[in-house]
Amino acid sequence: MTNATHVHAGTGTRALVLVFLAAIIEGFDLQAAGVAVPKLVSAFGLSPSQLGVFLSSATFGLVLGALCGGVIADRFGRRNGLALSLVVFGLFSIGTAFSDTFEHLVAMRFLTGVGLGGALPNLIAIAAESVAPERRGRAVAIMYAGVPLGGALASLIALLGLHDDWGSIFLVGGILPLLLVLPLQLMMGPFRVTRDAKVPARRRDVLMAPGALPQTLLLWAAFFFGLIVVYLLLNWLPQILVSLGFARETASTVQIVFNIGGAAGAILGGRLLDGNRPAFSAALCFIGLMLAITSLAILPAGNVAAALAAGTFVGATVIGVQALLYGIAPQCYPSEVRGTGVGLAVSVGRLGSIVGPLVAGWLLASGMGPQQLLYTLLPIAAICGTTTVILILHRSGKTREEMSRRLGQA
């Protein structure tokens, strides 16, 4: 059997706290570009197409970063991989703050995205390996809850107008990860991988072996379709609400409660994944997501209380189901390739995060209304839910087979 270095309970708790803080910083940095957009447009005179290039540059960096971060996690340890990622996105976020041309701005944001993407596979692996196997789902979910909380913090700064200029939000987002690197090195165990000679040395042999291939493909499909839904809502929710007749201030407030609801939903999703009936619980979560999207589509115009309730419901369900996927991913692979496997899944998911907003923009430009756009998310959410439930059932079947085999050998 393969496993990472065993972690003492106290060390595991410290590790979980540190990755939760890192996830908050990651969520803050991911949202920073959206917060800075109004002032960036006036400062650089950005056209809509240039703005699209700027906003998507970090996403492309995230795809590359997730691939690299997963490999680094397996080869050099999770802690070192996370520390390197924090340094990268911290320095380049600061570099973004001092950009003086559009090209420089895009380059810095792309490289910031590489660091942000590299952090996530390490965060997931550390959270999963800091607790006993039966608690991995909730540990990963607790970590991931920090991402929407960081996003809510950035949105709150934007709503209250607490940033003086467009660069200050990137400066704060760059300093915070650098401040966390030293505590990370001093207080967290190395999370190095101990290698089992029975496991093939080449990652491809493990990830794409006949027994592992079905779960890898199911995981990729779930991540891809899931992040289409997540990022379409993250990017277009304020505009959809404005189109439905709500004020921009209300839309910004809904974005905040969306993230806060998401943090609560992430923790709940992790607990359900560790429960006795994870497949049934996952199915209920996706049904809840589809009901939440429908409630957003039928919002009565001008009803602020209904908008806040729907935003919270949507955030809790969409981030909750994403937390399910992040909790499942590290359980699909042995520790030798866990970082690589999770990194690949995250990268495939990031492709969905690119597709979602682009398709939404194209559909809205072609004349589709906001309600119809939301309804198009329902079959996508259903596909993601179906693949997730099948993946959980597949994992449960493999676990029972392994237990039977061990009992037979005893």
Side-chain angles (χ1 to χ4, degrees):
M1 182 178 176
T2 62
N3 50 16
T5 302
H6 291 292
V7 178
H8 185 271
T11 304
T13 301
R14 288 198 301 272
L16 196 54
V17 170
L18 287 166
V19 294
F20 175 71
L21 292 174
I24 291 177
I25 296 170
E26 170 128 342
F28 183 92
D29 272 75
L30 285 169
Q31 199 84 2
V35 169
V37 157
K39 295 185 177 182
L40 273 172
V41 170
S42 58
F44 285 85
L46 300 181
S47 66
S49 61
Q50 287 178 315
L51 185 58
V53 170
F54 168 71
L55 290 174
S56 63
S57 58
T59 307
F60 286 104
L62 286 163
V63 175
L64 176 61
L67 289 171
C68 297
V71 174
I72 291 170
D74 290 338
R75 289 186 176 177
F76 303 105
R78 323 307 193 196
R79 184 186 66 187
N80 292 334
L82 178 56
L84 177 61
S85 297
L86 290 172
V87 169
V88 169
F89 82 73
L91 291 177
F92 286 113
S93 183
I94 293 172
T96 306
F98 291 99
S99 298
D100 54 2
T101 66
F102 170 69
E103 291 75 17
H104 189 196
L105 196 68
V106 170
M108 289 297 101
R109 192 61 187 161
F110 170 79
L111 292 169
T112 301
V114 173
L116 290 166
L120 193 53
N122 288 281
L123 290 171
I124 293 171
I126 291 170
E129 294 168 2
S130 66
V131 296
E134 64 272 12
R135 297 173 62 87
R136 281 179 175 168
R138 72 189 69 183
V140 173
I142 289 170
M143 176 280 297
Y144 185 61
V147 175
L149 286 178
L153 180 59
S155 297
L156 183 62
I157 288 174
L159 182 64
L160 299 177
L162 297 179
H163 57 307
D164 296 330
D165 53 55
W166 67 266
S168 59
I169 194 81
F170 293 114
L171 195 60
V172 172
I175 292 172
L176 289 176
L178 296 179
L179 291 177
L180 190 62
V181 171
L182 185 59
L184 196 74
Q185 294 290 347
L186 294 177
M187 299 173 64
M188 183 185 289
F191 285 88
R192 294 193 183 95
V193 177
T194 55
R195 194 164 300 281
D196 191 332
K198 295 180 182 179
V199 175
R202 292 190 301 173
R203 288 168 173 77
R204 181 177 60 82
D205 292 341
V206 181
L207 296 173
M208 297 300 179
L213 184 58
Q215 70 180 14
T216 295
L217 295 178
L218 285 167
L219 188 65
W220 288 2
F223 265 82
F224 179 79
F225 289 108
L227 281 175
I228 286 179
V229 178
V230 171
Y231 274 82
L232 190 150
L233 289 169
L234 279 174
N235 283 271
W236 285 97
L237 182 58
Q239 291 90 327
I240 289 172
L241 289 169
V242 170
S243 299
L244 292 172
F246 293 92
R248 290 198 174 273
E249 293 76 12
T250 300
S252 297
T253 306
V254 171
Q255 190 85 349
I256 293 172
V257 299
F258 173 96
N259 281 300
I260 294 172
I267 294 172
L268 177 61
R271 293 187 68 86
L272 291 173
L273 183 61
D274 288 339
N276 295 325
R277 303 177 69 186
F280 178 72
S281 298
L284 287 181
C285 288
F286 278 95
I287 291 170
L289 172 59
M290 296 171 74
L291 290 174
I293 293 171
T294 303
S295 72
L296 193 61
I298 61 175
L299 272 179
N303 191 326
V304 175
L308 291 172
T312 305
F313 188 22
V314 171
T317 51
V318 74
I319 302 299
V321 298
Q322 192 61 36
L324 281 174
L325 291 174
Y326 283 131
I328 295 166
Q331 301 180 40
C332 290
Y333 303 107
S335 61
E336 282 82 358
V337 294
R338 184 169 292 138
T340 304
V342 171
L344 280 169
V346 171
S347 293
V348 172
R350 293 300 177 187
L351 296 177
S353 74
I354 295 170
V355 169
L358 289 176
V359 169
W362 178 75
L363 291 174
L364 289 171
S366 66
M368 178 178 283
Q371 287 96 341
Q372 289 73 28
L373 175 63
L374 289 168
Y375 287 134
T376 62
L377 289 178
L378 296 179
I380 299 173
I383 294 171
C384 180
T386 302
T387 53
T388 301
V389 170
I390 294 172
L391 176 60
I392 293 172
L393 291 172
H394 179 78
R395 287 291 308 153
S396 299
K398 287 192 68 174
T399 301
R400 285 194 294 269
E401 288 177 8
E402 290 172 3
M403 289 181 64
S404 299
R405 186 166 57 250
R406 289 174 189 171
L407 288 173
Q409 294 174 349

